[in-house]
């Protein structure tokens, strides 16, 4: 597919159904690796992008956010919500959709569901970062929070880092059970744990991926041993964090975009000038990642617009050869561009 709008000005749309077909067509792990490659490539050209903290509309129950960016040729945005209580009424905590557009003429070139895609891109980003920061030979992960993101996180760590074993813990045993069932037969040893401490036994990577709109303490200081890599996913909103401040003070902290992470990430608990390392600088070789075996590395993930842009770019590049999209009549397309009204009149019944 090209970036130019088609003759009929139709916009390809990838529905949830088609996204799932595309994932199975490509394969989950190859797709996670492919997404990580796209995200890493875009992190390496970080300076090119328009960047802004996402635009958040907060309420008692959750948040609705817009995440825009552009590399000068292509523009993208994602609409995403975060409502931790949603699962109690049968709804997702996180749902999303997004769009790519041609900067040259402003025409959209792709509209896509992004609920499934966000889970994939978040996991691909986590694993891409862990590949660079986790201790050598890391093969066991504690997965705390076994909700919608958890299987994706586990599989991405397998696909990119070589994870062999995942130790699941959720405050709700039914969630742990669900994740264990889903991960059966996918090449990981899966252990269901009854406490967060148990999940951390022998783990070199600790992923926290819980949803609770408060300053939660999923990891206390005494739970975290030297040399681990922490992949902190669930603290991603003002007033919504997962780690005790003492853990942050012992860690070398890596972030996506500091201007956004200082508002939303674990580091909202620290002084505004507490030193952090930007992940794009590690990926482009400008600053080191992990520097010792004893170091605690922490990826304070909040999810940044460039990751969604990369994910949409990946979808755009991979649906062209498939039937996994439909053309949407989203753009008015009068024969004479200035005759919008005439087009409307001619459509009168
Ligand atoms: P989810 O609601 O499906 O799952 C969250 C799980 O956390 C639930 O199973 C819940 O029982 C569990 N949980 C809550 N408190 C817990 C505790 N104290 N100990 C153990 N488990 C606990 O949500 P999800 O879609 O899996 O998302 C998880 C989190 O990740 C959310 O906070 C979401 O906002 C965040 N998220 C971050 C990114 C990112 O890029 N950083 C992307 C997507 C989602």
């Amino acid at each position: 597919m090209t970036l130019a709008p088609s003759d009929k000005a139709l916009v390809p749309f990838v529905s949830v159904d088609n996204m799932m077909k595309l994932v199975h067509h490509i394969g989950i792990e190859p797709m996670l690796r492919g997404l990580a490659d796209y995200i890493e490539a875009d992190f390496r050209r970080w300076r090119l992008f328009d960047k802004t903290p996402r635009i958040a509309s907060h309420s008692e129950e959750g948040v609705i956010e817009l995440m825009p960016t552009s590399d000068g040729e292509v523009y993208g945005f994602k609409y995403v919500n975060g409502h931790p209580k949603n699962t109690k009424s049968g709804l997702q905590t996180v749902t999303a959709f997004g769009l790519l557009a041609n900067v040259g003429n402003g025409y959209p070139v792709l509209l896509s569901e992004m609920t499934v895609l966000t889970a994939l891109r978040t996991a691909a980003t986590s694993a891409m970062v862990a590949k660079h920061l986790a201790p050598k030979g890391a093969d066991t992960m504690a997965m705390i929070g076994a909700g919608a993101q958890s299987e994706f996180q586990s599989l991405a760590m397998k696909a990119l880092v070589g994870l062999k074993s995942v130790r699941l813990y959720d405050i709700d045993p039914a969630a742990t059970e669900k994740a264990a069932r889903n991960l059966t037969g996918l090449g990981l040893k899966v252990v269901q744990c009854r406490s967060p401490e148990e999940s951390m036994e022998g783990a070199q990577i600790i992923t926290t991926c819980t949803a609770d709109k408060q300053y939660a303490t999923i990891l206390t200081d005494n739970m975290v041993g030297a040399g681990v890599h922490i992949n902190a996913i669930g603290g991603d909103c003002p007033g919504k964090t997962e780690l005790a401040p003492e853990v942050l003070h012992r860690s070398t902290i890596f972030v996506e975009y500091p201007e956004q992470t200082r508002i939303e990430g674990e580091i909202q608990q620290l002084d505004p000038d507490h030193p952090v390392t930007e992940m794009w600088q590690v990926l482009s070789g400008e600053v080191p990642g992990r520097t010792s075996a004893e170091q605690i590395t922490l990826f304070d993930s909040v999810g940044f617009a460039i990751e969604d842009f990369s994910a949409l770019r990946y979808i755009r590049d991979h649906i062209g050869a498939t039937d996994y999209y439909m053309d949407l009549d989203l753009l008015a397309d009068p024969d004479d561009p200035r005759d919008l009204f005439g087009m409307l009149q001619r459509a009168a019944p």
Side-chain angles (χ1 to χ4, degrees):
M1 199 190 357
T2 65
L3 276 180
S6 71
D7 292 345
K8 291 181 194 153
L10 296 170
V11 179
F13 166 62
V14 182
S15 63
V16 175
D17 189 42
N18 275 326
M19 182 62 75
M20 295 194 294
K21 287 182 174 139
L22 182 69
V23 175
H24 287 296
H25 173 73
I26 295 170
I28 300 179
E29 289 190 44
M31 184 152 169
L32 286 163
R33 279 192 290 268
L35 284 166
D37 287 345
Y38 271 57
I39 295 165
E40 186 160 342
D42 285 340
F43 269 56
R44 284 178 199 273
R45 53 189 196 114
W46 192 261
R47 286 192 178 92
L48 263 178
F49 284 90
D50 270 350
K51 294 176 284 293
T52 178
R54 60 185 154 197
I55 300 139
S57 175
H58 296 281
S59 64
E60 284 280 294
E61 304 301 330
V63 64
I64 293 176
E65 297 163 325
L66 289 178
M67 303 173 70
T69 192
S70 165
D71 68 357
E73 288 184 15
V74 181
Y75 170 92
F77 79 83
K78 178 169 88 171
Y79 166 103
V80 63
N81 78 305
H83 285 70
K85 289 187 189 146
N86 267 6
T87 51
K88 290 203 171 60
S89 42
L91 303 174
Q92 293 276 296
T93 296
V94 175
T95 61
F97 66 89
L99 179 144
L100 282 185
N102 183 337
V103 168
N105 58 16
Y107 271 41
V109 295
L110 177 71
L111 179 66
S112 178
E113 86 79 40
M114 289 193 79
T115 304
V116 177
L117 191 58
T118 292
L120 290 161
R121 80 81 157 116
T122 304
T125 305
S126 287
M128 185 266 290
V129 169
K131 198 177 71 180
H132 292 272
L133 298 183
K136 273 205 178 64
D139 61 5
T140 302
M141 177 169 85
M143 179 75 234
I144 303 178
Q149 311 298 319
S150 63
E151 300 91 339
F152 296 89
Q153 288 284 325
S154 304
L155 278 182
M157 292 291 181
K158 171 176 181 278
L160 277 110
V161 183
L163 196 77
K164 293 193 170 64
S165 173
V166 60
R167 302 175 64 82
L168 301 169
Y169 169 73
D170 195 289
I171 202 164
D172 177 358
T176 313
E177 179 72 40
K178 174 254 357 175
R181 198 170 49 243
N182 284 342
L183 287 169
T184 302
L186 297 182
L188 279 170
K189 180 182 172 206
V190 181
V191 183
Q192 296 187 48
C193 302
R194 279 153 301 175
S195 69
E197 288 83 356
E198 187 187 342
S199 75
M200 271 177 256
E201 282 168 23
Q204 305 90 354
I205 300 175
I206 302 168
T207 292
T208 55
C209 195
T210 65
D212 202 353
K213 208 166 173 1
Q214 60 161 326
Y215 294 105
T217 310
I218 307 301
L219 295 187
T220 56
D221 194 22
N222 61 355
M223 289 159 87
V224 179
V228 296
H229 173 67
I230 304 171
N231 173 42
I233 300 299
D236 59 356
C237 245
K240 176 167 172 275
T241 58
E242 295 181 303
L243 309 186
E246 296 77 23
V247 176
L248 306 183
H249 284 292
R250 285 169 61 212
S251 306
T252 308
I253 302 173
F254 298 83
V255 301
E256 293 141 315
Y257 180 56
E259 288 84 341
Q260 182 178 312
T261 313
R262 291 202 193 271
I263 300 169
E264 302 179 348
E266 297 300 327
I267 58 171
Q268 65 184 277
Q269 305 179 79
L270 301 179
D271 290 340
D273 55 357
H274 188 94
V276 296
T277 303
E278 295 185 48
M279 208 48 223
W280 71 270
Q281 292 184 301
V282 177
L283 296 169
S284 51
E286 291 182 22
V287 297
R290 170 174 288 275
T291 50
S292 80
E294 300 74 40
Q295 188 180 25
I296 299 170
T297 51
L298 162 63
F299 177 40
D300 185 1
S301 162
V302 291
F304 187 56
I306 292 176
E307 293 147 28
D308 300 306
F309 177 95
S310 315
L312 287 169
R313 232 169 36 75
Y314 179 93
I315 297 302
R316 180 199 69 195
D317 292 352
H318 287 79
I319 59 166
T322 74
D323 295 330
Y324 304 138
Y325 65 95
M326 58 185 95
D327 285 322
L328 278 193
D329 182 16
L330 189 66
L331 301 170
D333 189 27
D335 294 337
D336 172 354
R338 286 171 301 185
D339 195 20
L340 186 64
F341 191 79
M343 182 184 80
L344 173 65
Q345 274 185 320
R346 285 189 291 280

